[in-house]
Amino acid sequence: MTEPPPPPSHDEGAERIEGIERRWAMVGIGVLLVLVVVAAFAGIHQAAMPQSRVEIVDPLRLHLSGEFIDSNLGSAVEPDGSVTVRAIGQEYSFTPSCILVPRDTPITFRATSADVVHGFLIDGTDINLMLVPGYISSLRARFETLGERYMPCHEFCGTGHEGMWGRIKVVDKAVFAQMAAGAKRVSCVK
Amino acid sequence: MILAHFWLAFAGFGAALPLGAWQMYIRSPLHGWISDPEWYYRSVTAHGTTMAYVFPTLVAMGFGYFVAEAALQRPLIGLRWAWLGFALVVIGTVTAIIPVALGLASVLYTFYPPMIGNPFYYIGVVLVVVGSWIWVALMGINMQRWKRDNPGTPVPFPMFATVAGAYLWGWTAVGAALELLFQIIPAALGLSRTIDAGLARVFFSWTLHAIVYFWLMPTYIAYYTILPRAIGGRLYSDAMGRLSFILFLVVAMPIGVHHLFADPEVGSGFKFLHSVFTALVALPTLLTVFTICASVEIAGRLRGGKGVLGWLAALPWRNPVMLGAALSFVMLGFGGAGGLINMSYQLDSTIHNTQWVTGHFHLIFGGAIVIMYFVIAYDLWPHLTGRSLDSLGLMRAQLWTWFVGMIVLTFPWHYVGILGMPRRMAFYDYSDPVIAAQAASVTMSVIGAAILVVSGALFFLVLARGHAAPRTAPPAYRFSVAVRPPRALPAALNGFGLWLGLMIALTLVNYGFPIAHLLATPGTAVPTVNVGALR
């Protein structure tokens, strides 16, 4: 391979290279700034933000006291009409394994793990959380379409991980209200 | 010594590659459910540990030693220490892989406490890291001594970039080292029965993102210092190259919390801060793409290419270095676009921890980065063995099959990720109508994996034929020369004092509070869960 001839060495050449490079760097920075601003806008304006506070809970005492006792798991109707869903992940299932929520209603998910790290994902939505033992994960959401979706654990949690699938059913508001009437907490059985 | 690093690296790669392909097959509709899923996770642990820790670390170390000798044009200082580092990596690898093979540490290479495996697995990983730290120190020392002996002369660019990569790794490995030494290993030895899983995830994220840039460093160094020379061009700008590596050093590390967007142990403020810095780390890549394209254009024009695009046709496409770098760029482009999606919390929510992520890092690491490891090997081998590497046709076939295999593997992966397919599962119920829709894509990935195995075999064939070739005396090794080689440089572009300070300061700002907050919060430790033990 032949050595290329040395290029003309004028300072204007160097200046030109620098000018072109600077312009490109500015374009790059500009693009990235736009991306950051869009993300910030979406975060604040559409409330698509992760939970702001760190909340802790003792995984050994979940079933003894506090908001994650067995009788409090599932969907609860709040005084303001919104619904809070509480769930636990453990090797290798969710409790409740089938979550029931009404359509067009503000939903708050609150979930944690009883043993190792689990994942909490609802297919076809942006609902995506890690369940880390010792901490409470929470997320606000709203469902606009009826039907049933899968809710797999998406974090390796042991050799039974592949069998850890839950489900979530979105039902009409009226149907939900009927099921929730009289019951303290609701979930679907199958 | 350099050859030993490369051969051990590629031996690990050769062993882990078929494991990956086997995993693809076992979880696809082509195979029934595996009778014992533990085998699948055992294989994932071995594949990940080898490909993520052993293989790239050894490539970076071997290439670093080569650059130190070839760019500084003098023998390596501390050769004995280099052998000690190598020995630690070998001992560490063996120590780690035995419990994995026995099924005593199927925790995946990302550890996942409070799951705790056999202590020897973690000790082995620590030994590998300590061995690589010796390399980090040697790179720094060799550059310092050279500067002392050549006052006023700019450090050759290949060495400058290599030292940036070494310092980046030295600091970023600290996160996982803290997690291992203070949290996991005490628990694995039975000294502690509890562990703060959230804090462990924060420590690991410190390592987890910048490790990718450590893997990337040899690839970028090859773009800058091998490609322009190999195709008869010039490096467009020496200073811009230095700036890119400095930016990587400073901002690649304090951004790891973007791996924890969906986690409960870090608040939204720091998540946003890390998201912004993640955007910043795209900048050195944008600068690199520009500089390398301009350098390649110079080569095309010197070869007689005319017009706006004519220089592209004039490029030596049959040259494996040119071909490999171009294919690498294509994969970097797709992978980088995917990375911008992962970067923001809102878009990440759709694909976090799905097969999309597996597709993303295989495309970036297995694709754009590893294909340049092949190119580096092809370019260095004659100098390391004293025998010529003549199978050009075979090299091109190897690079093309790697590219095609990686695309066929990862594009369907991205797609099923968007559909919500969770990752790291030993099998799926394809009889379910919803999941049946993903079956064809998973099968396609198996084909991609098979192509990659063929490509891997071709790679070893090329090297083996090189070792069987008659001896030659290759000319002295040359790196690319800049259009305007620097005569004198400001200290900031010729050393790292300032930048290391900035890197550490940024780490304290971006990680100090989340770590201190968790350390100060009582009641975050949870019981460990042993794996591999008889229940």
Side-chain angles (χ1 to χ4, degrees), chain A residues 21 126 135 150 155 161-162, chain B residues 41 196 237 263 350 424 432:
Chain A
E21 282 173 347
D126 286 347
Y135 299 86
Y150 281 112
E155 190 58 284
H161 166 56
E162 70 287 330
Chain B
Y41 300 115
D196 182 339
S237 167
D263 274 49
T350 313
R424 306 186 181 111
D432 185 291

Side-chain angles (χ1 to χ4, degrees), chain A:
Chain A
M1 217 156 287
T2 52
E3 186 73 20
S9 58
H10 304 302
D11 279 331
E12 51 205 85
E15 270 170 28
R16 218 175 131 227
I17 286 182
E18 265 178 34
I20 295 171
E21 282 173 347
R22 200 170 300 129
R23 275 205 296 277
W24 171 256
M26 287 305 144
V27 170
I29 292 170
V31 169
L32 297 173
L33 271 180
V34 169
L35 287 175
V36 168
V37 169
V38 168
F41 179 78
I44 294 161
H45 189 72
Q46 300 166 2
M49 265 201 295
Q51 65 194 91
S52 56
R53 290 194 308 126
V54 176
E55 293 179 78
I56 64 168
V57 63
D58 182 354
L60 287 183
R61 305 183 61 81
L62 292 180
H63 61 296
L64 297 176
S65 62
E67 61 175 305
F68 291 104
I69 52 172
D70 293 349
S71 59
N72 201 35
L73 297 177
S75 307
V77 182
E78 301 294 339
D80 63 358
S82 72
V83 169
T84 302
V85 179
R86 288 186 182 81
I88 291 178
Q90 65 258 307
E91 289 178 328
Y92 300 101
S93 64
F94 293 101
T95 309
S97 60
C98 181
I99 288 172
L100 191 76
V101 289
R103 183 168 65 166
D104 288 332
T105 308
I107 314 273
T108 302
F109 287 95
R110 288 178 66 77
T112 187
S113 162
D115 40 42
V116 299
V117 177
H118 296 284
F120 185 98
L121 162 84
I122 297 176
D123 275 357
T125 70
D126 286 347
I127 297 165
N128 198 329
L129 286 172
M130 301 304 301
L131 310 184
V132 181
Y135 299 86
I136 299 172
S137 305
S138 78
L139 185 78
R140 283 198 295 267
R142 192 183 183 94
F143 293 87
E144 274 152 21
T145 46
L146 295 175
E148 196 177 305
R149 295 176 183 279
Y150 281 112
M151 192 178 83
C153 166
H154 63 43
E155 190 58 284
F156 174 65
C157 55
T159 49
H161 166 56
E162 70 287 330
M164 189 167 167
W165 291 71
R167 276 171 306 128
I168 184 160
K169 244 185 215 172
V170 185
V171 296
D172 195 72
K173 269 180 141 167
V175 175
F176 183 85
Q178 207 175 7
M179 293 176 83
K184 195 170 158 230
R185 305 290 174 250
V186 277
S187 58
C188 35
V189 245
K190 65 175 213 61

Side-chain angles (χ1 to χ4, degrees), chain B residues 235-437:
Chain B
L235 178 60
Y236 186 69
S237 167
D238 179 279
M240 206 55 150
R242 286 172 199 256
L243 189 63
S244 295
F245 282 91
I246 288 169
L247 279 170
F248 273 129
L249 180 64
V250 176
V251 295
M253 196 252 113
I255 61 176
V257 165
H258 71 236
H259 288 252
L260 308 178
F261 277 157
D263 274 49
E265 74 274 2
V266 181
S268 55
F270 275 90
K271 285 176 182 168
F272 182 71
L273 186 67
H274 282 243
S275 177
V276 173
F277 276 92
T278 309
L280 207 56
V281 85
L283 188 61
T285 290
L286 290 175
L287 298 180
T288 299
V289 169
F290 176 82
T291 305
I292 300 307
C293 288
S295 306
V296 171
E297 183 182 344
I298 293 173
R301 297 211 182 276
L302 285 170
R303 293 170 61 92
K306 299 264 182 291
V308 178
L309 292 174
W311 59 273
L312 278 170
L315 290 171
W317 289 106
R318 296 177 67 78
N319 181 331
V321 179
M322 180 68 234
L323 179 65
L327 297 177
S328 172
F329 255 53
V330 173
M331 292 189 277
L332 187 70
F334 283 121
L340 289 178
I341 288 172
N342 305 346
M343 171 186 99
S344 71
Y345 169 76
Q346 293 82 7
L347 292 177
D348 180 69
S349 295
T350 313
I351 44 83
H352 169 77
N353 241 347
T354 65
Q355 292 289 0
W356 166 286
V357 178
T358 326
H360 169 71
F361 71 75
H362 276 80
L363 187 56
I364 287 271
F365 175 47
I369 293 175
V370 169
I371 204 169
M372 287 305 286
Y373 288 180
F374 299 145
V375 169
I376 291 170
Y378 292 155
D379 199 58
L380 300 196
W381 229 248
H383 297 269
L384 297 175
T385 61
R387 297 166 195 271
S388 58
L389 217 49
D390 297 323
S391 326
L392 290 179
L394 218 49
M395 290 182 201
R396 285 195 295 270
Q398 191 268 324
L399 295 170
W400 270 115
T401 43
W402 191 262
F403 172 74
V404 172
M406 203 45 88
I407 297 287
V408 175
L409 174 78
T410 57
F411 278 34
W413 250 351
H414 278 87
Y415 174 66
V416 294
I418 295 172
L419 296 182
M421 188 179 227
R423 65 194 279 210
R424 306 186 181 111
M425 284 197 164
F427 50 76
Y428 299 87
D429 181 3
Y430 296 105
S431 66
D432 185 291
V434 175
I435 295 169

Side-chain angles (χ1 to χ4, degrees), chain A residues 59 115 132-135, chain B residues 111-116 122 179-180 182-188 192-201 523-529:
Chain A
D115 40 42
V132 181
Y135 299 86
Chain B
F111 309 144
Y112 296 128
M115 265 190 275
I116 298 289
Y122 307 109
E179 181 196 9
L180 285 169
F182 293 105
Q183 293 196 281
I184 293 182
I185 291 180
S192 155
R193 295 267 172 234
T194 60
I195 192 165
D196 182 339
L199 179 63
R201 290 175 69 78
T524 52
V526 300
T528 54
V529 177

